[in-house]
Amino acid sequence: MSANPSQELLLHRPDDCHLHLRDGAALAAVLPASARVFGRAIIMPNLQPPILNTAQALEYRARILAAVPPGVDFSPLMTLYLTDHTSPEEIRLAQASGAIFGVKLYPAGATTHSDAGVTSLRSIMPALTEMEKLDLPLLVHGEVNDPEVDIFDREQVFIDRVLTPIMRDFPSLRVVFEHITTIDAADYVALGPPTLAATITPQHLLYNRNALFRGGLQAHNYCLPVLKREVHRRALVKAATSGLPKFFLGTDSAPHARGAKESACGCAGCYTAPLALELYAEAFEAAGALDRLDDFASRFGAEFYRLPRATDTIKLRRRDWQVPADLPFGDQRIVPFRASDALRWKVEA
Ligand code: DOR
Ligand code: ZN
């Protein structure tokens, strides 16, 4: 879907299949950047306190819709936060609501706002059984939180200890392995059954772990799962540009105020929403695969979630521009990913 692919790219309106929007003033500050480009997004439930039930998800959905700028069409696709205590009844309510598109598994303590997450596979068996029965997808943050496992190995160990048993015991459960970061995860998904898919972020396509330490500690490149070696980055680029419907766009845009990032204990999360599609275009262009971006961004995710593909379009134009150094974020400021850097693609207003 494109006119002159070296200068402009016409794409179906994309979906962001993994997005953190937060709440309150932060939500109001970040939502317009996503809504101006993406038609729908899978909304992460790791608020404080987390979104544990359908009533909370529907209220959160209403707050998101209230923050959508006038004249903009944006659909938040809600998720629940899985805990050791999520009941089959809660799963039934979620599915019956029609507004909830997945249930997110955060291993307890693995990442930002995951304290209420899952502590054992055994405790989530009743919820997973019901999700499989009702065909409600499981979304996983694929890292173990074992202090004896090196942080760069936590995704591989998650595959062995958590994901493989789930795939074995729940063969019909649809699972999204979120924000994969390793060749191991990419291969596991590519070779897995059609029920298994993965999202890939722009930062993991563009950067390896050197970006964390380039000329000093780079807080704004820190997210979880953390950036990995170059061999992993290349495998992710190969997966994203493979044309396999198992890999699709999920930015994991995760906003934190400047002070929370540039701190002695900086929060994990890259705020990519204002430049996300441009970053993907850069990564696909570097791989010589711009013609594969449209399906990755608007088709494969929609197919997995059984949604119609968008019928309207957006245009990316080749144009040099500079990412702002920072942006308003309630009464604070936020530093976007690639702040002050030059980019070569820009979504047309
Ligand atoms: O870097 C991350 N930030 N990874 C996550 O899993 C959570 C996210 C956040 O909510 O800030
Ligand atoms: Zn996330």
Side-chain angles (χ1 to χ4, degrees), residues 120-262:
S120 80
L121 258 183
R122 196 162 28 91
S123 63
I124 58 172
M125 288 293 164
L128 295 186
T129 302
E130 198 64 19
M131 287 162 61
E132 181 181 44
K133 194 163 116 200
L134 300 180
D135 198 20
L136 184 60
L138 174 71
L139 320 182
V140 300
H141 181 105
E143 289 189 291
V144 294
N145 179 35
D146 177 343
E148 291 183 4
V149 177
D150 191 280
I151 192 162
F152 293 100
D153 299 332
R154 288 180 179 186
E155 191 170 274
Q156 289 101 322
V157 175
F158 179 88
I159 294 173
D160 296 337
R161 287 193 196 165
V162 184
L163 192 50
T164 297
I166 290 177
M167 301 297 299
R168 180 194 61 217
D169 294 346
F170 301 94
S172 307
L173 180 65
R174 283 186 292 145
V175 178
V176 185
F177 197 164
E178 300 289 344
H179 44 55
I180 58 167
T181 62
T182 58
I183 186 170
D184 311 72
D187 287 349
Y188 187 81
V189 172
L191 298 172
T195 49
L196 179 63
T199 53
I200 307 181
T201 78
Q203 65 266 27
H204 292 102
L205 289 175
L206 288 167
Y207 285 174
N208 63 37
R209 65 191 194 178
N210 289 339
L212 291 165
F213 308 108
R214 198 165 46 209
L217 194 56
Q218 298 289 337
H220 298 288
N221 294 339
Y222 171 55
C223 65
L224 288 171
V226 72
L227 295 168
K228 302 294 193 306
R229 287 178 181 274
E230 176 66 5
V231 60
H232 298 296
R233 187 192 72 79
R234 286 186 188 200
L236 298 175
V237 170
K238 197 170 149 217
T241 60
S242 65
L244 272 180
K246 288 167 148 280
F247 300 102
F248 46 81
L249 186 156
T251 63
D252 197 17
S253 177
H256 294 277
R258 177 196 280 275
K261 293 286 292 175
E262 298 173 7

Side-chain angles (χ1 to χ4, degrees), residues 18 20 22 44 46 104 106 110-113 141 143 179 203 222-225 252-256 261 267-270:
H18 185 127
H20 297 270
R22 315 302 191 205
M44 290 300 122
N46 64 332
K104 179 79 187 276
Y106 289 100
T111 187
T112 313
H113 305 164
H141 181 105
E143 289 189 291
H179 44 55
Q203 65 266 27
Y222 171 55
C223 65
L224 288 171
D252 197 17
S253 177
H256 294 277
K261 293 286 292 175
C267 291
C270 299

